[in-house]
Amino acid sequence: MSEKIETIGVLTSGGDAPGMNAAIRAVVRQALAKGLKVKGIKRGYAGLLNEEIIDMDAKSVSDIIQKGGTILYTARCDEFRFEEYQKKGAEICKKHGIDGLVVIGGDGSFKGAQKLSHLGINTIGVPGTIDLDIACTDYTIGFDTAVNTAMEAIDKIRDTSTSHERCSVIEVMGRSAGYIALWCGIANGAEDILLPERYDGNEEILLNHIKQTKEIGKKHHIVINAEGIGHSASLAKKIETETGMEARATILGHMQRGGSPTCTDRVHATVMGALAVDLLCQGKSDRVIAYKDGKYVDFEIDEALAMKKDIDEYQFTVSKLMSRA
Ligand code: ADP
Ligand code: F6P
């Protein structure tokens, strides 16, 4: 590990998330303020291996804080799971004088960052994913924007569901985590929320609930279904057949990953990006930044990856109570 950082690299990896640009901007401006050089690595680890490396200055991050996506592009790079390519990545960093690296992404991206740290490139992870599924942190860049985007879309679907007196099964993102589903379920007043963390596949309970709400005269029945459970179309068909209530499925999909970041996402992304540079300047490496119990903190990547988190049980209880009309 080098003692004094001179050049910081920054990349975004895995699924994009609104606010990644704000984080890139913060890394660049904080580094420049400290007299360091900054290099942007395009397309995550794939771009690193292809040496897609550009010089960045204060102007190269002008007018991006409000933009969704990532100006550095992002990619998934399976090769990077192998030592041979990790070593090549570290060599390329050294060749370009990159002695400190900020990786903005999720758990998978942090594993790559950890490998680079062990190969002598001081590396800090910044949590960026709409799924909120990074255990060490209460907040991940992009979650707030994504839930607001989904919430607005679900409100619209609710209007048409009510007009037609239908059941709507709405699938939100979350490969293995139900945070988006739970938050939208509460915010949209959904009648049912299916979470990978809690749903046991018992459709009877859901079907009976739909029959009950129909009987008491509810004009719609909104089911928020997390992507991790999936099968929204077949579930809607079954609901229609078994309950007699017309049903439609909508998969919100990638629209949840786009759009201008909310204030919350911009602020946290900016502070985390700046902090990543500060940690590198303090000689730290192999760490990931988190927002925990109202404070910005950092953890060793190994420790962060070993942590587990679950959805908030009280939030889940309240969500169920609120849907009982
Ligand atoms: P996320 O970072 O959002 O969790 P992925 O799981 O898709 O997204 O991981 C993003 C990228 O991180 C992968 O395409 C790969 O390049 C890198 N990565 C994932 N797992 C590892 C690993 N075990 N070792 C090294 N790199 C990894
Ligand atoms: O960013 C996380 C996520 O949105 C997951 O919820 C989803 O399963 C996945 O990315 C889909 O990513 P892609 O379509 O880019 O493979």
Side-chain angles (χ1 to χ4, degrees):
M1 269 193 285
S2 57
E3 288 299 307
K4 196 176 169 308
I5 300 287
E6 287 179 6
T7 303
I8 286 188
V10 56
L11 63 81
T12 47
S13 165
D16 67 344
M20 280 185 165
N21 280 329
I24 295 168
R25 172 178 174 271
V27 170
V28 172
R29 297 228 165 133
Q30 184 81 342
L32 294 176
K34 288 176 175 288
L36 309 174
K37 287 194 203 127
V38 193
K39 304 218 175 196
I41 300 162
K42 291 185 172 180
R43 300 181 181 83
Y45 297 120
L48 174 63
L49 295 177
N50 291 328
E51 293 190 58
E52 295 182 65
I53 299 174
I54 54 167
D55 291 328
M56 298 191 84
D57 57 20
K59 250 190 120 183
S60 57
V61 290
S62 290
D63 202 27
I64 65 165
I65 194 166
Q66 78 285 16
K67 290 187 178 147
T70 157
I71 59 160
L72 289 175
Y73 305 101
T74 185
R76 295 200 168 85
C77 172
D78 279 336
E79 284 175 335
F80 209 72
R81 293 167 199 271
F82 300 101
E83 201 183 352
E84 178 193 350
Y85 292 96
Q86 294 156 6
K87 280 184 176 161
K88 186 178 167 197
E91 284 314 311
I92 291 169
C93 284
K94 285 174 193 160
K95 178 178 157 191
H96 288 263
I98 295 170
D99 42 18
L101 180 65
V102 179
V103 170
I104 306 164
D107 278 344
S109 305
F110 298 156
K111 288 179 191 155
Q114 182 182 43
K115 298 291 164 30
L116 287 172
S117 299
H118 295 170
L119 291 164
I121 309 300
N122 290 359
T123 306
I124 301 289
V126 170
T129 167
I130 65 164
D131 288 351
L132 198 68
D133 61 346
I134 299 177
C136 68
T137 184
D138 298 336
Y139 160 83
T140 60
I141 296 169
F143 174 74
D144 189 58
T145 307
V147 282
N148 278 287
T149 301
M151 181 188 74
E152 284 173 22
I154 294 164
D155 279 345
K156 293 184 169 93
I157 296 169
R158 185 185 170 122
D159 289 344
T160 171
S161 291
T162 309
S163 306
H164 287 263
E165 299 177 64
R166 279 176 180 156
C167 171
S168 281
V169 178
I170 305 165
E171 188 171 311
V172 296
M173 272 189 164
R175 194 170 19 207
S176 49
Y179 295 97
I180 299 177
L182 178 58
W183 278 62
C184 286
I186 295 172
N188 293 100
E191 278 67 32
D192 275 288
I193 310 171
L194 308 183
L195 307 174
E197 295 90 341
R198 293 290 182 279
Y199 184 57
D200 63 1
N202 185 342
E203 289 176 349
E204 283 312 305
I205 297 173
L206 173 68
L207 295 170
N208 287 335
H209 189 213
I210 296 171
K211 284 178 199 159
Q212 278 165 20
T213 56
K214 205 180 149 206
E215 268 163 32
I216 61 166
K218 272 217 174 188
K219 299 297 178 213
H220 63 241
H221 194 108
I222 305 292
V223 181
I224 306 291
N225 186 28
E227 178 191 358
I229 294 169
H231 307 294
S232 295
S234 57
L235 183 59
K237 272 210 168 69
K238 183 144 191 194
I239 289 169
E240 201 163 284
T241 322
E242 302 282 326
T243 69
M245 190 172 197
E246 233 190 333
R248 293 287 186 275
T250 307
I251 297 173
L252 294 185
H254 289 84
M255 55 109 66
Q256 294 162 93
R257 286 224 302 241
S260 179
T262 58
C263 178
T264 300
D265 274 326
R266 294 181 200 193
V267 171
H268 282 310
T270 300
V271 176
M272 287 179 165
L275 180 56
V277 173
D278 286 350
L279 295 183
L280 286 170
C281 289
Q282 290 162 20
K284 290 194 181 176
S285 178
D286 197 8
R287 301 191 73 78
V288 54
I289 288 172
Y291 186 71
K292 194 100 189 118
D293 303 326
K295 287 196 173 60
Y296 298 100
V297 292
D298 53 283
F299 296 99
E300 195 184 338
I301 294 182
D302 234 0
E303 188 191 354
L305 292 176
M307 291 181 190
K308 299 263 176 284
K309 78 169 173 182
D310 193 9
I311 58 156
D312 186 285
E313 193 57 42
Y314 187 63
Q315 256 185 2
F316 185 53
T317 307
V318 168
S319 78
K320 285 192 286 189
L321 260 171
M322 292 297 134
S323 69
R324 307 285 137 173

